[in-house]
Amino acid sequence: MSDNGHQQNGHENVPSRQRRRFEGISSRTYEHPADRSALVALRKLSGFDTVFKALSGLLPERSLRLLFLSDSVRVSDAQFAHLNTMLRDACHILDLEKVPPMYVAQDPQPNAMCIGLDEPIIVVTTGLVELLDEEEMRAVVGHEVGHALSGHAVYRTILLFLTNLALRVAWIPLGNIAIMAIVTALREWFRKSELSADRAGLLVGQDLKASMRGLMKLAGGNHLHEMNVDAFLEQAEEYEAGGDLRDSVLKILNTLPRTHPFTTVRAAELKKWAESRDYQRIMDGHYPRRTEDKETSVSDSFRQSAASYATDVKNSKDPLMKLVSDIAGGAGDLGGRVRRGFGGFAGGTPKDQTAPEDRTSPKDQPPRDSTPEDDA
């Protein structure tokens, strides 16, 4: 447990209440399976980080550090002391020995990031500081420390650089396409890394309500008296299950340019993890240690990732994911649904379009629908 007002392992630890400390915790504990498998594979490549950083020598990291040092406020005992306390406490709880520097940048847009190649830097905006209360902010600081512990900062910095580069070479034929292909792949990993960091934030704050409030504020501003957690989560349910295949495609198109998952989706994912047996085992002190990281199997991590995706597809209420599940399971009348088009999958089998050769049993037949043919 963390103790109020004491020095432990060089960390000044002054939390507002006692929280469990996870000594020697491995980032594998909270990483999303898709995030974890990618990182394990990269870490297993001999000399990958050295080569990666050498190839990334053109990245303006020193410039970024000088920029924040010269034009932002560095968090310390003398400046934003309450954030400094949260930062040290988060590093103590996740047993991150070296506390990364943290800056507050003037920007009305609520945001936070962890970047850097050699050493991570945490940056939070004034908009975020002014939006969140102490416990909500503690979860955000824990979120960013989780990125640092997972080693996300290197790859996030590369993504930031490539995104800016893509804008500069957009006029070059095919040049932008090649870069954007890499950016798209990195963004998919980035979104999964955000789910990992949300879990780290919960391990640091150990207050699910505060984490949920923070996410709601990111979506709807500082109007908690006008918002409701249950209703907010219902939005995530409606988003996932609503519409037909056309909506599923639009969801994909809306998601591709984003670096973060949608806020309601993040809230639903975090709540699901907080209610899982895995989370309870972590809180009981049963979690992977960093000393075991070298023994981690790449193939096991990929299997876990594949199993996670398979479970997500199986349990998803999204029409496209249902179609994928039907294909995998050989569901009856799948061909008929595809022939009838997107609307047919969402609405079932119209009376006048039931193919006579369909031989599925009555219980396998989709519900009848009176939707006119020209509306399908």
Side-chain angles (χ1 to χ4, degrees), residues 11-236:
H11 298 292
E12 181 184 351
N13 181 44
V14 194
S16 60
R17 64 176 175 83
Q18 288 189 328
R19 291 173 171 81
R20 177 174 292 280
R21 182 176 184 242
F22 306 100
E23 188 173 359
I25 189 172
S26 168
S27 60
R28 291 182 291 115
T29 302
Y30 57 81
E31 285 166 355
H32 187 280
D35 172 25
R36 188 192 315 148
S37 63
L39 289 178
V40 168
L42 290 174
R43 291 166 183 162
K44 283 290 183 178
L45 293 176
S46 178
F48 171 80
D49 283 338
T50 302
V51 174
F52 195 81
K53 290 177 182 179
L55 293 175
S56 308
L58 296 177
L59 288 178
E61 181 178 16
R62 294 179 67 87
S63 175
L64 285 174
R65 291 180 182 277
L66 290 172
L67 177 63
F68 290 124
L69 186 63
S70 63
D71 205 32
S72 302
V73 177
R74 182 165 57 190
V75 172
S76 65
D77 289 333
Q79 301 185 116
F80 289 99
H82 72 292
L83 293 181
N84 193 45
T85 297
M86 292 181 193
L87 176 62
R88 290 182 175 275
D89 187 41
C91 292
H92 177 80
I93 290 173
L94 294 181
D95 200 12
L96 184 63
E97 184 174 351
K98 188 170 184 179
V99 179
M102 183 175 179
Y103 294 88
V104 176
Q106 171 61 29
D107 188 341
Q109 182 71 27
N111 196 15
M113 59 182 174
C114 180
I115 57 174
L117 295 177
D118 296 320
E119 295 181 1
I121 301 173
I122 295 175
V123 182
V124 297
T125 65
T126 52
L128 189 68
V129 174
E130 293 164 3
L131 177 66
L132 304 182
D133 66 25
E134 179 181 348
E135 293 303 309
E136 296 158 6
M137 194 68 198
R138 189 181 298 277
V140 169
V141 173
H143 174 112
E144 300 305 326
V145 170
H147 278 313
L149 181 59
S150 288
H152 288 160
V154 172
Y155 314 110
R156 293 162 70 87
T157 305
I158 294 295
L159 175 59
L160 180 64
F161 174 75
L162 288 177
T163 302
N164 291 332
L165 180 62
L167 296 176
R168 296 178 183 177
V169 301
W171 59 275
I172 302 177
L174 300 181
N176 186 50
I177 296 176
I179 293 176
M180 287 309 299
I182 301 174
V183 168
T184 299
L186 278 173
R187 279 176 178 162
E188 169 61 17
W189 162 77
F190 197 111
R191 289 189 289 270
K192 295 299 186 292
S193 76
E194 285 299 310
L195 300 179
S196 297
D198 282 344
R199 297 175 178 183
L202 179 58
L203 291 178
V204 167
Q206 298 173 26
D207 184 345
L208 179 60
K209 291 182 179 179
S211 293
M212 302 300 282
R213 290 199 311 268
L215 289 170
M216 283 200 304
K217 284 184 176 181
L218 288 177
N222 194 13
H223 305 281
L224 281 179
H225 62 288
E226 298 284 357
M227 294 184 281
N228 178 275
V229 172
D230 293 333
F232 190 65
L233 292 172
E234 286 175 3
Q235 290 182 224

Side-chain angles (χ1 to χ4, degrees), residues 3 15 61 87 99 101 117 149 163 236 270 279-280 287 299-300 306 315 318:
D3 302 316
E61 181 178 16
L87 176 62
V99 179
L117 295 177
L149 181 59
T163 302
L270 185 61
Y279 177 74
Q280 189 56 55
Y287 53 83
S299 58
D300 286 346
N315 297 332
D318 180 82

